[in-house]
Amino acid sequence: MAIHFNERNKTFYIGGKDFSYIFRIKDGRLQHLFFGKRIKEQDVSYIADGRKTEFAPTVSDGAESSDVLTQEYPVYGRGDYREPAVLITAADGGRTTDFIYRSHSILKNKSKISGMPTLRGGETLVIELQDELYGLILSLYYTVYEDCGAVVRRVVLKNGGKSDVIINKINSFSVDIPRCDLDKICLQGGWAKERGVERSALTHGIFEVSSTRGSSSHHLNPFIALCDKNADENVGEAYGFNLVYSGSFSVKAQVDQLGITRVGGGINEKDFRWALKVGESFETPEAVLVYSAEGLGKMSRNFHDLYREYLINPAYAYKKRPVVLNCWESFYFDFNDKSLSELIAKAKGTGIDTFVLDDGWFVGRNSDKAGLGDWHVDYDKLSGGLKAVADDCRAAGMKFGIWIEPEMVSEDSELYRAHPDWVVRHPDLTPCKGRHQLVLDFANPDTVDYVKGVISDLLKENDVSYVKWDMNRNITEFYSVYLKERSQEFAHRYILGVYALAEHLTASFPDVFFEGCSGGGGRFDAAMLYYFPQIWTSDNTDALSRAFIQYGTSFCYPLSAMSGHVSACPNHQTARITPFSSRTAIASFCSTGFELNLNALTEEETKGIKKHVEFYDGISDLILKGDLYRLLSPFDGNYFSQMVVSKDKKKALFILMKKLARCNDVYPVVKLKGLNENFTYETGGRLYGGDALMNVGLKFPNDLKDFETVLMVFTVRGAEK
Ligand code: GLA
């Protein structure tokens, strides 16, 4: 049993294969005791006892102050001056809550959160607490994932009182780790430079990763890791925290006066204020807490296993992904029947199995200034309609996919003219524009229903097998004409609207493969992964930039979740010239595809396309199911290296990329990881012992050129030694 309550010492033990999560009921309140490496069930309350300080109020004389305790879900107003997990305003103006334990149950099966992504899972602990003053009932949920080092948490707040209350803040989780000698790692960036790894010491005060953009953002991912100062990829303790949420979020790490680190997060309270009427409940999104005693590498592998096994649609999680030819960087808006037909015909016989018609196929869409919202084909460009394009694809042995941006509308569109009240705006303000477009008010169910209908018809009528769902601006004004004075609920309700549409479309079209996108990786989060098995990782398709972006993204998300395409040279975003082989090598460590005009390629490159598809076919199982080992960080030195190893350790894919050539350089030696030391592996016609590969390592030439890569496949030969 993974969850156990010890009646004697009133302690909850949540146990995974490699970790323990322990807390107890003390004086009616929940006190956190331990989250770390697996230990036997025993009393560890000594770690929390006896903390004292001055200027720390207590609920009664002689009691411990909540300001020094390690809390499981801290409240506001009862002496704990650190970040509360929940904050309300009651009808009488009061804000203080004090949740006291009432009961708990251990469920065999986990229930789904209504209208929000939920990890599938089993054993779940539910603890019910009550605030006497306002009659609020708080339920804390913990689902344990024994093999993945993970606990998934969420919270439900019910108004069981006599008056309505306002929720000002409600975290999905909070945990107090009784140490402060930790480093923090976040994934920061911006458009075309998403998820750069940034590590520094955690210090007193509050460190926050957050977004107020209405989406999880290019800028800071809803992820934070805390780790030992000496932790690296292979050793040391590491904690990873990730929200299963796509909207404005906040995750904070706070170090207090007595050296406790509090980590908590959820919906960003800056744009949140929820009216909870008597009898109503509010459910938070889920938060994933991962522990690793074997460094950051194992932390990431835990996330990858968890998301592949329990989050991503099981119909697709381990299924070979479509190898896509996307036409965006071939033509941008400038295409017609002829150019599309030629491109599609050229793909015949390459092994590419899906053609995706990107932006620009619908009425009025000759630039990004118009057309969004009117999802009808532009017959001036495509005289045979989408059907003719789909027919061309079939003739070339490919499936047909299409780009949409369902949450947006252009001012110059039929939809906007018919429903100006369906956009996000304040009635007395001219709304800000982003990429010339406005955002549809997805907090309004009528808007969502309309979009459901239009997109469903589009998919039904056009034999579409693949959808790229884009979202190309951030939200402003945060006002809904529909919600009016309840507009501070807008940010969260908008995302619930997005989920409702995604739920409807993915359930109605189970055979259609959905790819997420937001100007590249602007909404690359676990909640989107629940609906979309892969996400366009970045608009930056340059091989070197992608080495950084995909490396950072892998801290939390599996390789198969990242779409990565081989694109033209010089690269359209960076103008960098990289070898074709480097572009295919980098695009092998993700869900691969192409984003270039096949008609503009040299004969050698055209052959290279086919070769890449064949090569990828042979290793796609590793990308879908394997264990990732990061070997050299592009953020730290002149090389990037990583490998992915099959679970049975019989096969592995390895890459080394040199950033810049140097004269008379040192010979790089890379020690491989994750292999079986007793196996013999073959690569390039030579045999190596697994023990040699991991301890002696491999030596590479010192004259690799700028951006040159070495890609190697290792397969086991013969029996164990
Ligand atoms: C976004 C996407 C691109 C492309 C364009 C089309 O920027 O990230 O891949 O689809 O929109 O407008």
mmCIF file of all heavy atoms in Angstrom, residues 1-22:
data_model
loop_
_atom_site.group_PDB
_atom_site.id
_atom_site.type_symbol
_atom_site.label_atom_id
_atom_site.label_comp_id
_atom_site.label_asym_id
_atom_site.label_seq_id
_atom_site.Cartn_x
_atom_site.Cartn_y
_atom_site.Cartn_z
ATOM 1 N N MET A 1 0.853 -1.204 0.000
ATOM 2 C CA MET A 1 0.000 0.000 0.000
ATOM 3 C C MET A 1 0.886 1.250 0.000
ATOM 4 O O MET A 1 1.811 1.354 0.791
ATOM 5 C CB MET A 1 -0.899 -0.015 1.223
ATOM 6 C CG MET A 1 -2.187 0.741 1.009
ATOM 7 S SD MET A 1 -3.419 0.378 2.250
ATOM 8 C CE MET A 1 -2.695 1.060 3.718
ATOM 9 N N ALA A 2 0.597 2.157 -0.875
ATOM 10 C CA ALA A 2 1.471 3.324 -1.029
ATOM 11 C C ALA A 2 1.106 4.460 -0.074
ATOM 12 O O ALA A 2 1.902 5.365 0.150
ATOM 13 C CB ALA A 2 1.403 3.817 -2.463
ATOM 14 N N ILE A 3 -0.119 4.393 0.441
ATOM 15 C CA ILE A 3 -0.533 5.461 1.366
ATOM 16 C C ILE A 3 -1.000 4.802 2.662
ATOM 17 O O ILE A 3 -1.799 3.865 2.643
ATOM 18 C CB ILE A 3 -1.681 6.302 0.750
ATOM 19 C CG1 ILE A 3 -1.220 6.946 -0.554
ATOM 20 C CG2 ILE A 3 -2.180 7.340 1.743
ATOM 21 C CD1 ILE A 3 -2.314 7.640 -1.341
ATOM 22 N N HIS A 4 -0.504 5.283 3.768
ATOM 23 C CA HIS A 4 -0.875 4.667 5.042
ATOM 24 C C HIS A 4 -1.008 5.745 6.111
ATOM 25 O O HIS A 4 -0.200 6.668 6.179
ATOM 26 C CB HIS A 4 0.202 3.642 5.446
ATOM 27 C CG HIS A 4 -0.109 2.975 6.731
ATOM 28 N ND1 HIS A 4 0.774 2.919 7.777
ATOM 29 C CD2 HIS A 4 -1.238 2.351 7.157
ATOM 30 C CE1 HIS A 4 0.221 2.287 8.790
ATOM 31 N NE2 HIS A 4 -1.005 1.935 8.440
ATOM 32 N N PHE A 5 -2.047 5.578 6.938
ATOM 33 C CA PHE A 5 -2.223 6.499 8.059
ATOM 34 C C PHE A 5 -1.928 5.745 9.342
ATOM 35 O O PHE A 5 -2.536 4.703 9.617
ATOM 36 C CB PHE A 5 -3.657 7.036 8.077
ATOM 37 C CG PHE A 5 -3.908 7.981 9.225
ATOM 38 C CD1 PHE A 5 -3.190 9.166 9.330
ATOM 39 C CD2 PHE A 5 -4.851 7.674 10.200
ATOM 40 C CE1 PHE A 5 -3.411 10.046 10.392
ATOM 41 C CE2 PHE A 5 -5.077 8.555 11.263
ATOM 42 C CZ PHE A 5 -4.355 9.734 11.354
ATOM 43 N N ASN A 6 -0.978 6.239 10.119
ATOM 44 C CA ASN A 6 -0.653 5.625 11.396
ATOM 45 C C ASN A 6 -1.477 6.327 12.479
ATOM 46 O O ASN A 6 -1.236 7.496 12.798
ATOM 47 C CB ASN A 6 0.851 5.774 11.665
ATOM 48 C CG ASN A 6 1.272 5.071 12.933
ATOM 49 O OD1 ASN A 6 0.569 5.107 13.936
ATOM 50 N ND2 ASN A 6 2.424 4.427 12.869
ATOM 51 N N GLU A 7 -2.443 5.591 12.972
ATOM 52 C CA GLU A 7 -3.417 6.138 13.917
ATOM 53 C C GLU A 7 -2.722 6.622 15.196
ATOM 54 O O GLU A 7 -3.087 7.652 15.767
ATOM 55 C CB GLU A 7 -4.418 5.009 14.224
ATOM 56 C CG GLU A 7 -5.707 5.406 14.891
ATOM 57 C CD GLU A 7 -6.551 6.399 14.085
ATOM 58 O OE1 GLU A 7 -7.001 6.086 12.965
ATOM 59 O OE2 GLU A 7 -6.727 7.507 14.616
ATOM 60 N N ARG A 8 -1.694 5.869 15.607
ATOM 61 C CA ARG A 8 -1.027 6.157 16.878
ATOM 62 C C ARG A 8 -0.345 7.540 16.880
ATOM 63 O O ARG A 8 -0.581 8.364 17.740
ATOM 64 C CB ARG A 8 0.000 5.067 17.155
ATOM 65 C CG ARG A 8 0.406 4.920 18.599
ATOM 66 C CD ARG A 8 1.345 3.735 18.778
ATOM 67 N NE ARG A 8 2.130 3.453 17.580
ATOM 68 C CZ ARG A 8 3.245 4.089 17.242
ATOM 69 N NH1 ARG A 8 3.714 5.053 17.984
ATOM 70 N NH2 ARG A 8 3.892 3.741 16.143
ATOM 71 N N ASN A 9 0.450 7.769 15.852
ATOM 72 C CA ASN A 9 1.139 9.074 15.854
ATOM 73 C C ASN A 9 0.501 10.054 14.867
ATOM 74 O O ASN A 9 1.063 11.096 14.554
ATOM 75 C CB ASN A 9 2.642 8.928 15.593
ATOM 76 C CG ASN A 9 2.927 8.241 14.268
ATOM 77 O OD1 ASN A 9 2.024 8.127 13.443
ATOM 78 N ND2 ASN A 9 4.148 7.795 14.065
ATOM 79 N N LYS A 10 -0.711 9.671 14.384
ATOM 80 C CA LYS A 10 -1.513 10.555 13.514
ATOM 81 C C LYS A 10 -0.696 11.050 12.310
ATOM 82 O O LYS A 10 -0.687 12.238 11.986
ATOM 83 C CB LYS A 10 -2.021 11.787 14.303
ATOM 84 C CG LYS A 10 -2.871 11.431 15.503
ATOM 85 C CD LYS A 10 -4.323 11.342 15.082
ATOM 86 C CE LYS A 10 -5.262 10.949 16.193
ATOM 87 N NZ LYS A 10 -5.571 9.517 16.284
ATOM 88 N N THR A 11 0.025 10.120 11.712
ATOM 89 C CA THR A 11 0.926 10.495 10.619
ATOM 90 C C THR A 11 0.539 9.800 9.318
ATOM 91 O O THR A 11 0.206 8.607 9.317
ATOM 92 C CB THR A 11 2.377 10.133 11.010
ATOM 93 O OG1 THR A 11 2.696 10.857 12.203
ATOM 94 C CG2 THR A 11 3.363 10.513 9.914
ATOM 95 N N PHE A 12 0.574 10.559 8.251
ATOM 96 C CA PHE A 12 0.312 10.016 6.919
ATOM 97 C C PHE A 12 1.648 9.689 6.259
ATOM 98 O O PHE A 12 2.548 10.538 6.224
ATOM 99 C CB PHE A 12 -0.417 11.042 6.034
ATOM 100 C CG PHE A 12 -1.803 11.351 6.517
ATOM 101 C CD1 PHE A 12 -2.042 12.462 7.341
ATOM 102 C CD2 PHE A 12 -2.874 10.544 6.160
ATOM 103 C CE1 PHE A 12 -3.313 12.748 7.796
ATOM 104 C CE2 PHE A 12 -4.162 10.829 6.613
ATOM 105 C CZ PHE A 12 -4.376 11.933 7.432
ATOM 106 N N TYR A 13 1.755 8.474 5.739
ATOM 107 C CA TYR A 13 2.960 8.052 5.025
ATOM 108 C C TYR A 13 2.586 7.787 3.572
ATOM 109 O O TYR A 13 1.767 6.914 3.289
ATOM 110 C CB TYR A 13 3.533 6.771 5.637
ATOM 111 C CG TYR A 13 4.054 6.979 7.038
ATOM 112 C CD1 TYR A 13 3.220 6.808 8.143
ATOM 113 C CD2 TYR A 13 5.379 7.359 7.250
ATOM 114 C CE1 TYR A 13 3.692 7.014 9.432
ATOM 115 C CE2 TYR A 13 5.860 7.568 8.540
ATOM 116 C CZ TYR A 13 5.010 7.397 9.618
ATOM 117 O OH TYR A 13 5.481 7.604 10.897
ATOM 118 N N ILE A 14 3.168 8.552 2.687
ATOM 119 C CA ILE A 14 2.978 8.304 1.264
ATOM 120 C C ILE A 14 4.305 7.763 0.759
ATOM 121 O O ILE A 14 5.340 8.412 0.924
ATOM 122 C CB ILE A 14 2.593 9.606 0.521
ATOM 123 C CG1 ILE A 14 1.268 10.133 1.083
ATOM 124 C CG2 ILE A 14 2.505 9.373 -0.982
ATOM 125 C CD1 ILE A 14 0.802 11.431 0.469
ATOM 126 N N GLY A 15 4.271 6.573 0.188
ATOM 127 C CA GLY A 15 5.546 5.951 -0.171
ATOM 128 C C GLY A 15 5.611 5.544 -1.621
ATOM 129 O O GLY A 15 4.719 4.871 -2.148
ATOM 130 N N GLY A 16 6.674 5.943 -2.286
ATOM 131 C CA GLY A 16 6.960 5.457 -3.624
ATOM 132 C C GLY A 16 8.102 4.466 -3.545
ATOM 133 O O GLY A 16 8.596 4.155 -2.448
ATOM 134 N N LYS A 17 8.543 3.974 -4.704
ATOM 135 C CA LYS A 17 9.652 3.014 -4.734
ATOM 136 C C LYS A 17 10.907 3.652 -4.133
ATOM 137 O O LYS A 17 11.633 3.042 -3.392
ATOM 138 C CB LYS A 17 9.900 2.614 -6.193
ATOM 139 C CG LYS A 17 10.791 1.416 -6.380
ATOM 140 C CD LYS A 17 10.564 0.773 -7.741
ATOM 141 C CE LYS A 17 11.014 1.614 -8.903
ATOM 142 N NZ LYS A 17 12.430 1.803 -9.103
ATOM 143 N N ASP A 18 11.119 4.931 -4.458
ATOM 144 C CA ASP A 18 12.363 5.589 -4.043
ATOM 145 C C ASP A 18 12.159 6.813 -3.153
ATOM 146 O O ASP A 18 13.096 7.546 -2.909
ATOM 147 C CB ASP A 18 13.144 6.070 -5.290
ATOM 148 C CG ASP A 18 13.518 4.920 -6.193
ATOM 149 O OD1 ASP A 18 13.866 3.864 -5.659
ATOM 150 O OD2 ASP A 18 13.448 5.086 -7.421
ATOM 151 N N PHE A 19 10.932 7.096 -2.774
ATOM 152 C CA PHE A 19 10.728 8.330 -2.001
ATOM 153 C C PHE A 19 9.657 8.144 -0.932
ATOM 154 O O PHE A 19 8.830 7.240 -1.004
ATOM 155 C CB PHE A 19 10.343 9.492 -2.926
ATOM 156 C CG PHE A 19 8.907 9.439 -3.375
ATOM 157 C CD1 PHE A 19 7.930 10.216 -2.745
ATOM 158 C CD2 PHE A 19 8.522 8.613 -4.416
ATOM 159 C CE1 PHE A 19 6.607 10.166 -3.155
ATOM 160 C CE2 PHE A 19 7.206 8.547 -4.829
ATOM 161 C CZ PHE A 19 6.247 9.333 -4.188
ATOM 162 N N SER A 20 9.718 9.024 0.060
ATOM 163 C CA SER A 20 8.677 9.079 1.089
ATOM 164 C C SER A 20 8.181 10.508 1.210
ATOM 165 O O SER A 20 8.961 11.464 1.031
ATOM 166 C CB SER A 20 9.239 8.665 2.450
ATOM 167 O OG SER A 20 9.649 7.332 2.440
ATOM 168 N N TYR A 21 6.917 10.635 1.515
ATOM 169 C CA TYR A 21 6.310 11.952 1.739
ATOM 170 C C TYR A 21 5.496 11.784 3.022
ATOM 171 O O TYR A 21 4.580 10.957 3.087
ATOM 172 C CB TYR A 21 5.426 12.303 0.537
ATOM 173 C CG TYR A 21 4.870 13.711 0.557
ATOM 174 C CD1 TYR A 21 5.363 14.677 -0.307
ATOM 175 C CD2 TYR A 21 3.835 14.067 1.439
ATOM 176 C CE1 TYR A 21 4.854 15.968 -0.303
ATOM 177 C CE2 TYR A 21 3.337 15.353 1.458
ATOM 178 C CZ TYR A 21 3.840 16.291 0.582
ATOM 179 O OH TYR A 21 3.333 17.578 0.591
ATOM 180 N N ILE A 22 5.864 12.527 4.045
ATOM 181 C CA ILE A 22 5.278 12.273 5.371
ATOM 182 C C ILE A 22 4.771 13.569 6.005
ATOM 183 O O ILE A 22 5.456 14.592 5.979
ATOM 184 C CB ILE A 22 6.351 11.634 6.310
ATOM 185 C CG1 ILE A 22 6.938 10.368 5.651
ATOM 186 C CG2 ILE A 22 5.757 11.293 7.658
ATOM 187 C CD1 ILE A 22 8.155 9.806 6.403
#
